[in-house]
Amino acid sequence: MIAREGLVPLLVAILAAVMVMHFLGLLPSLALWALVLLVLVLFRDPERDIPSRPLAVVSPADGKVISISTEQDPYLLRRSIRVTVQMHPYGVFTTRSPVEGKVLEPPNFPDDASKPHGVWLQTDEGDDIVLVMARGRLHIEPRCYIRIGERTGQGKRCGFVHLGGRVDVYLPENSRLVVAEGDVVRSGTDPLATLLHG
């Protein structure tokens, strides 16, 4: 499967390769067919077997946990555990929802152009999770597929970061972490933390 952001580049590359092959022959078109393969690799979006993980917060991105800290959540203005996942430069760039819940509008948006998408997700148990997608290597603004007022499922596609970037997850301060710095995680399947109740 290919991410929706890759459909237009893929069609353009295929059309150009077919046109060059038709008018100039196979050999001159090989570079364009290589471009088609590159687009397929960069925009691949494989299906994932999403397990049911009640009260778990799963990784929103494929990558490596590069930082875990306790600090102020700039979107909900509360003390939180922040887990930062650095996406692989040649990995899958689709992001997935870390929890099932409702998308709400954060009460505060920090004045930071490198963090254009702070998404507040509230679970049915009342837990607040904030997902922040930072710009990737091309500094193109990340795409967010979910809208305020919608519901989303754990592990469902929720965005895209061109050529990968950094994804921050702000967790309730009493969450129990199940990852450490240096761990490699897969989006939608590998848990970052467990939400505690009672």
Side-chain angles (χ1 to χ4, degrees), residues 4-192:
R4 63 181 77 172
E5 283 74 17
L7 292 177
V8 171
L10 179 62
L11 291 175
V12 169
I14 290 174
L15 181 60
V18 168
M19 294 292 287
V20 169
M21 187 170 69
H22 177 73
F23 290 107
L24 300 177
L26 177 62
L27 193 58
S29 72
L30 290 180
L32 289 170
W33 286 116
L35 178 62
V36 170
L37 289 176
L38 179 63
V39 170
L40 285 171
V41 169
L42 290 179
F43 291 95
R44 71 192 184 280
D45 185 11
E47 291 294 337
R48 292 278 164 88
D49 182 19
I50 309 296
S52 176
R53 295 184 183 274
L55 298 182
V57 180
V58 299
S59 177
D62 287 4
K64 185 177 184 179
V65 177
I66 61 169
S67 174
I68 297 174
S69 58
T70 300
E71 58 187 71
Q72 183 82 348
D73 176 347
Y75 293 87
L76 299 185
L77 303 177
R78 58 167 184 172
R79 293 288 291 172
S80 299
I81 298 172
R82 178 177 133 180
V83 178
T84 300
V85 177
Q86 180 67 51
M87 300 173 78
H88 297 304
Y90 303 107
V92 175
F93 306 135
T94 297
T95 59
R96 294 175 179 268
S97 177
V99 293
E100 179 180 0
K102 188 172 183 179
V103 183
L104 301 174
E105 183 174 6
N108 186 60
F109 285 91
D111 185 20
D112 184 348
S114 70
K115 296 181 180 178
H117 289 295
V119 179
W120 176 16
L121 300 166
Q122 188 173 74
T123 69
D124 293 338
E125 294 78 22
D127 296 298
D128 296 313
I129 310 296
V130 175
L131 167 64
V132 181
M133 294 181 285
R135 295 173 188 263
R137 289 156 186 82
L138 295 181
H139 297 285
I140 297 173
E141 188 173 338
R143 296 293 304 275
C144 189
Y145 300 159
I146 52 180
R147 299 289 177 257
I148 293 168
E150 294 180 349
R151 282 190 61 83
T152 187
Q154 187 179 63
K156 298 295 184 184
R157 293 176 178 87
C158 69
F160 187 87
V161 182
H162 293 268
L163 285 189
R166 192 184 73 246
V167 178
D168 296 321
V169 182
Y170 290 92
L171 306 165
E173 200 172 11
N174 68 339
S175 302
R176 187 176 70 231
L177 290 168
V178 295
V179 290
E181 291 183 13
D183 287 354
V184 175
V185 290
R186 282 168 45 94
S187 67
T189 60
D190 293 343
L192 301 177

